[in-house]
Amino acid sequence: MARHAEPRSSRRSALLAAGLSVTAAGAAVLGAGSAAQAAAPVPLPVDSLTRTDAAAAGTGALSGVTHGLGPLTRLQLDPLANTGVDPLDNGLGTQVADFKPVGTHLVTDHLTNGGAVADLPVAGPLTQGLLG
């Protein structure tokens, strides 16, 4: 037993030394970060905050949203569209007397055919009006 006790104690001391080294390095990094954070903030000129053109800011924000969301309206919504495993491709329909038949394909056809938001009957014109 004395034979195995010696390597374990040297292994423990090596792990302890490594742990203390990592702890010291972490403390040094955190200390440097807090010292940098303690620096005085640079004050902004007050008159630059009062001279904001709201119309230009709104136009710039709308332009950024338009360019950011425009491509998203053309992405295919259903990743399984036009495949044999698309769960939305299953439909159910019925017809009562001589009324027009009603079914779930009226709702899901745009998605199962690989449509995007711009292709949907209600959301498509809305997105084109907002982003176009």
Side-chain angles (χ1 to χ4, degrees):
M1 282 195 161
R3 188 175 191 189
H4 294 291
E6 186 177 329
R8 286 186 183 173
S9 65
S10 65
R11 187 178 301 163
R12 283 183 185 169
S13 64
L15 287 175
L16 180 62
L20 289 175
S21 299
V22 170
T23 303
V29 168
L30 289 177
S34 63
Q37 184 182 9
V42 177
L44 293 174
V46 177
D47 59 338
S48 69
L49 296 175
T50 59
R51 287 186 275 145
T52 302
D53 186 6
T59 303
L62 185 60
S63 174
V65 168
T66 301
H67 290 296
L69 293 180
L72 295 178
T73 62
R74 292 182 294 278
L75 287 178
Q76 181 176 327
L77 289 175
D78 185 10
L80 299 174
N82 298 319
T83 64
V85 294
D86 187 9
L88 297 176
D89 199 19
N90 296 328
L92 180 66
T94 186
Q95 181 177 7
V96 178
D98 59 343
F99 292 107
K100 187 176 177 181
V102 178
T104 58
H105 281 291
L106 293 172
V107 178
T108 61
D109 268 350
H110 293 288
L111 296 176
T112 59
N113 292 333
V117 173
D119 300 329
L120 295 175
V122 175
L126 286 176
T127 58
Q128 296 304 318
L130 293 175
L131 301 177

